[in-house]
Amino acid sequence: MTRALPWLILLLGLLQPLSGALAPVFDIGAPIGAATASTDAPEQPLPVFFSIWGVIFLAYAGFGLGGLLRPVDWFARVGVPMLFAGTANIIWMLSAQLIGLQPLNFLLLAPIFAAAWIAAARLDALRGTETGPVFQVADAASGLLAGWISVAAAISVPLTIRTFTNLGPTDFPWWMFWATVAVAALAAWLFAGRISRSLWFFAALGWGLTGIVLNNWLRTEMHGIALMAGAGTATILLLRVTRGAKRSKSAA
């Protein structure tokens, strides 16, 4: 398993984007973004912001390749949860396309979320003692995935609420927006305080929240929500930059 792990991580860097392209390429099921296609929903980023997945997949492949070219003794400790996260991500993408049941999709985010955060915590335990290229690309892969899955969980809350109600994308926009921001802010607080000092998490989180700002300013024209989203994004990022992060020893 230890010898095969870098190969498996590298393979996941290739299989994840291929899995996400299943519906549009082979005309099977619904495209993965169908549930969030309506840009009228105030909690959704502009579609172009979902391109961050490409960076995450590239970092995944880079982590696997780094483990092959420059083996490190801690690779399995971080690589195993990354393996679980990538595998769970494929299952989530296939479910989103072939089944398209929002409550199920929301539940399937949980194992990705947990595995990515565990990988980030384990990597942070090495911070200060490991500084090589494998560590850096692992930091990017785990941090970006942990941050973007936090965004995905946050914006999925209103989608799931609408599944169990008759609410449309523009019903109670402020409540839906604040539900999203509350989940994102809680994730940021927990990650910085208990999990990791990685700035990549906040790069992904800030990217997603910026997408919400621009979606509401340019598409929905809910300018009040756009301004509040911008203020919230700036506050979260400013607190991380100015106050740093500290992590409980139990998180490792």
Side-chain angles (χ1 to χ4, degrees), residues 30 52 121-122 132 148 197 199 216:
I52 192 175
R122 290 181 175 181
W148 188 247
R197 290 156 284 183
L199 290 174
N216 284 287

Side-chain angles (χ1 to χ4, degrees), residues 184-243:
L186 178 61
W189 177 71
L190 288 173
F191 190 87
R194 298 286 181 176
I195 302 299
S196 173
R197 290 156 284 183
S198 175
L199 290 174
W200 289 107
F201 174 92
F202 287 87
L205 191 75
W207 176 259
L209 294 177
T210 301
I212 294 175
V213 173
L214 293 177
N215 185 52
N216 284 287
W217 191 265
L218 300 175
R219 301 298 296 272
T220 71
E221 297 187 353
M222 298 181 189
H223 294 158
I225 290 180
L227 291 173
M228 289 304 299
T233 302
T235 300
I236 291 172
L237 297 181
L238 184 63
L239 287 175
R240 172 59 184 88
V241 170
T242 58
R243 296 191 179 185

